[in-house]
Amino acid sequence: MAIAKAYNLKQAYQMISSGKHQEVELAFDVDADTFFMLSSNYGNSGAKIARHDNHFVLRLEKEAASG
């Protein structure tokens, strides 16, 4: 499955909550507050945030991605 690209935080939240995407690339500048907020919101459900090229990619567990 291809990685979906979010170009702002609102779009990232929409893609993540839709359940249609297992991986969402945060294709915008992520400051420390946003990074830790995303980590806090999704880390407890097993999501991982990793650096990929110049952006972060949020990877959801299959159960979390399927809604």
Side-chain angles (χ1 to χ4, degrees):
M1 180 177 277
I3 298 175
K5 285 191 178 195
Y7 294 98
N8 58 52
L9 187 58
K10 182 179 177 182
Q11 190 177 36
Y13 275 122
Q14 289 172 340
M15 289 179 167
I16 293 164
S17 64
S18 74
K20 296 179 183 177
H21 308 284
Q22 189 173 353
E23 295 182 314
V24 177
E25 179 178 343
L26 307 175
F28 56 94
D29 290 333
V30 177
D31 61 20
D33 290 339
T34 301
F35 179 86
F36 288 113
M37 182 177 58
L38 287 168
S39 296
S40 174
N41 289 345
Y42 296 103
N44 291 336
S45 63
K48 306 275 190 247
I49 300 177
R51 191 89 165 143
H52 179 71
D53 293 331
N54 293 327
H55 298 117
F56 289 103
V57 175
L58 182 77
R59 289 182 178 86
L60 302 168
E61 293 228 342
K62 287 198 180 260
E63 297 83 33
S66 61

